[in-house]
């Protein structure tokens, strides 16, 4: 249950319907599993078909491929509601529905869309995107995974690292070097059963436990030419065009975490008594809750506005970066305040706020670090080379 009043952001009716459906599902099906997901680093694969039945996996996909044909504002709302119950599930959901499904929807051939989208949208299959490597994060064009042309396709050799959903993914969008420099990268659609493709080490993380992160290994992995997504040597265009949407959609993760913090803190400060009265009666605690609420609503307003600009075809790269920058830093601060508000209880695993703090830190780093986001925003606004 939300502990804060609703605010009318003037969202479309579809977004409100998504909030109600996703929110109800999150409360009933995801929230009861959240503590176990974190404690056991467990990926609840069985949620995927159920989310597919609600249409959550194909929100931005056209109806002809089994999607809902809605917009990025609807997608942000869905990620927010899922993440309110479990940010780990929200992260894997965002990687599946946006980084994989939405990229195939935007760049796949009609044959590729018909082959892959229906099972990804139904939740029968799990999707992933593989961009980063151990030595190529912010400097993504320095990737080393090599795709050499051979008769009928390409052979891939190398590794990918930090890959969300990598352990369970059936279909992966993978970027590899097909030439030199930034113009020598291509996007490939990889299936988990391709010979020469395997899962390397599973990565144990501080937060977002239960959202599996893994190394991918390619050893003479043959990929048919039909699996190239977008133009050969045009992968950077595919990749960068998706980053704006990725950043906006994943900002919804942080909105969900902040809402979860307030949903925990407000009832607590009403009930917890010190010096003969509820701690919520003290002005310092009231100020803390006020700051948490304003941080959430400010990040919501910016994220929703940028998502709607995406739907209108008017997004800017620096605003997409700005939305997730504000949301990520606000969420980490709000989660820290939630721990502080609960005092000693907040520092224990008996309450979920310590998990919110660990989970919130990821998006200061993932989907482009905040340092890179600031550099991008400043460079774009100033017009520097």
């Amino acid at each position: 249950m939300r502990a804060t009043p609703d605010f009318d952001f003037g969202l479309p009716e579809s977004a409100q319907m998504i909030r109600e459906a996703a929110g109800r599902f999150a409360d009933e099906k995801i929230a009861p599993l959240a503590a176990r997901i974190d404690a056991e680093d467990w990926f609840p694969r069985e949620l995927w078909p159920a989310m597919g039945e609600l249409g959550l996996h194909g929100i931005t996909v056209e109806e002809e491929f089994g999607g809902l044909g809605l917009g990025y504002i609807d997608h942000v709302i869905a990620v927010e509601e899922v993440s309110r119950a479990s940010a780990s599930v929200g992260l894997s959901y965002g990687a599946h529905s946006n980084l994989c499904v939405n990229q195939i929807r935007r760049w796949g051939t009609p044959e590729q869309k018909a082959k892959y989208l229906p099972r990804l949208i139904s939740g029968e299959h799990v999707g992933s995107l593989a961009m980063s490597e151990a030595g190529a994060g912010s400097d993504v064009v320095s990737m080393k995974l090599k795709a050499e042309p051979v008769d009928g396709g390409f052979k891939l050799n190398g590794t990918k690292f930090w890959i969300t959903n990598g352990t369970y993914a059936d279909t992966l969008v993978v970027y590899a070097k097909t030439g030199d420099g930034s113009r020598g990268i291509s996007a490939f659609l990889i299936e988990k059963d391709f010979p020469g493709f395997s899962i390397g080490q599973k990565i144990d993380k501080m937060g977002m436990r239960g959202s599996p992160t893994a190394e991918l290994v390619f050893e003479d992995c043959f990929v048919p030419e039909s699996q190239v997504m977008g133009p050969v040597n045009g992968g950077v265009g595919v990749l960068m065009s998706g980053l704006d949407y990725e950043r906006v959609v994943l900002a919804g993760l942080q909105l969900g975490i902040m809402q979860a913090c307030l949903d925990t803190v407000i009832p607590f400060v009403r009930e917890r008594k010190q010096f003969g009265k509820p701690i919520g009666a003290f002005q310092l605690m009231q100020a803390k809750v006020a700051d948490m609420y304003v941080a959430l609503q400010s990040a919501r307003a910016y994220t929703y506005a940028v998502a709607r600009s995406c739907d209108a075809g008017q997004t800017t790269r620096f605003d997409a970066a700005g939305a997730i920058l504000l949301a990520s830093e606000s969420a980490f601060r709000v989660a820290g305040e939630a721990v502080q508000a609960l005092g000693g209880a907040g520092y224990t695993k008996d309450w979920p706020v310590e998990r919110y703090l660990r989970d919130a830190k990821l998006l200061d780093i993932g989907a482009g670090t905040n340092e890179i986001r600031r550099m991008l925003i400043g460079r774009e606004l100033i017009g520097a080379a």
Side-chain angles (χ1 to χ4, degrees):
M1 293 291 293
R2 292 175 188 81
T4 57
D6 290 334
F7 181 83
D8 184 4
F9 285 95
L11 300 180
E13 183 179 353
S14 59
Q16 200 54 46
M17 293 174 64
I18 289 287
R19 190 186 295 283
E20 291 172 4
R24 184 167 54 250
F25 181 83
D27 287 339
E28 295 175 358
K29 302 297 184 182
I30 302 176
L33 304 177
R36 179 188 168 193
I37 289 169
D38 179 69
E40 299 179 11
D41 199 10
W42 166 59
F43 177 59
R45 176 67 180 82
E46 63 268 27
L47 291 175
W48 249 236
M51 294 169 73
E53 289 181 12
L54 286 177
L56 297 181
H57 296 314
I59 288 176
T60 58
V61 178
E62 292 79 4
E63 293 182 16
E64 64 182 291
F65 296 109
L68 297 182
L70 300 176
Y72 292 105
I73 183 61
D74 307 282
H75 205 174
V76 167
I77 297 292
V79 170
E80 178 182 346
E81 289 302 315
V82 170
S83 302
R84 184 174 56 83
S86 169
S88 299
V89 176
L91 176 61
S92 283
Y93 165 59
H96 170 93
S97 60
N98 180 261
L99 279 69
C100 181
V101 170
N102 194 57
Q103 281 293 71
I104 296 173
R105 170 243 164 190
R106 295 179 64 242
W107 288 96
T109 65
E111 294 76 17
Q112 290 168 342
K113 293 179 184 180
K115 181 178 182 180
Y116 291 109
L117 286 179
R119 284 183 289 185
L120 289 166
I121 290 171
S122 71
E124 178 184 349
H125 281 182
V126 173
S128 179
L129 179 142
M131 177 180 69
S132 299
E133 298 178 6
S138 298
D139 182 16
V140 68
V141 297
S142 67
M143 67 178 64
K144 302 296 184 186
L145 177 63
K146 184 75 172 175
E148 294 186 285
V150 296
D151 188 28
F154 297 82
K155 271 195 176 178
L156 273 61
N157 282 282
T159 61
K160 290 291 181 182
F161 213 67
W162 314 113
I163 307 307
T164 301
N165 294 350
T167 315
Y168 291 89
D170 301 280
T171 304
L172 306 96
V173 176
V174 176
Y175 295 93
K177 295 288 283 188
T178 47
D180 297 323
S182 62
R183 297 183 181 276
I185 294 174
S186 301
F188 296 87
L189 287 168
I190 304 294
E191 299 174 16
K192 66 176 182 179
D193 296 327
F194 278 6
F197 171 65
S198 62
I199 306 300
Q201 62 178 300
K202 183 181 178 183
I203 300 163
D204 194 13
K205 307 188 299 294
M206 174 178 87
M208 295 295 187
R209 296 172 56 77
S211 176
T213 306
E215 176 188 32
L216 309 181
V217 179
F218 299 83
E219 298 176 302
D220 286 335
C221 176
F222 175 71
V223 180
E225 191 172 355
S226 61
Q227 298 300 110
V228 177
M229 190 175 75
V232 174
N233 294 327
V236 167
V238 176
L239 188 159
M240 297 306 292
S241 71
L243 273 179
D244 295 341
Y245 304 115
E246 173 187 345
R247 285 169 171 155
V248 175
V249 169
L250 291 185
L253 273 168
Q254 307 299 71
L255 304 181
I257 290 173
M258 285 188 276
Q259 183 66 61
C261 287
L262 283 161
D263 293 343
T264 303
V265 167
I266 291 176
F268 183 89
V269 300
R270 286 172 176 163
E271 298 296 327
R272 170 69 168 164
K273 291 185 177 180
Q274 291 288 278
F275 308 104
K277 55 184 176 180
I279 63 174
F282 295 100
Q283 289 182 346
L284 276 174
M285 192 58 69
Q286 293 168 5
K288 189 183 298 294
V289 171
D291 287 344
M292 294 169 67
Y293 177 75
V294 170
L296 166 60
Q297 296 295 64
S298 300
R300 265 190 179 136
Y302 194 9
T303 301
Y304 291 176
V306 176
R308 297 184 79 164
S309 76
C310 289
D311 291 331
Q314 298 173 343
T315 187
T316 62
R317 182 147 296 170
F318 52 85
D319 278 312
I324 195 169
L325 171 65
L326 178 63
S328 68
E329 293 192 342
S330 297
F332 190 62
R333 185 173 67 254
V334 165
E337 291 285 31
V339 172
Q340 190 71 19
L342 269 65
Y347 201 67
T348 70
K349 290 186 177 289
D350 293 334
W351 289 83
V353 289
E354 62 84 29
R355 165 163 52 92
Y356 301 157
L357 183 62
R358 289 185 285 109
D359 289 347
K361 186 58 184 174
L362 174 69
L363 286 186
D364 283 348
I365 301 165
T369 66
N370 281 341
E371 289 78 7
I372 291 294
R373 293 166 189 158
R374 283 189 165 89
M375 181 184 74
L376 186 153
I377 295 166
R379 184 179 63 200
E380 292 280 333
L381 292 175
I382 295 170

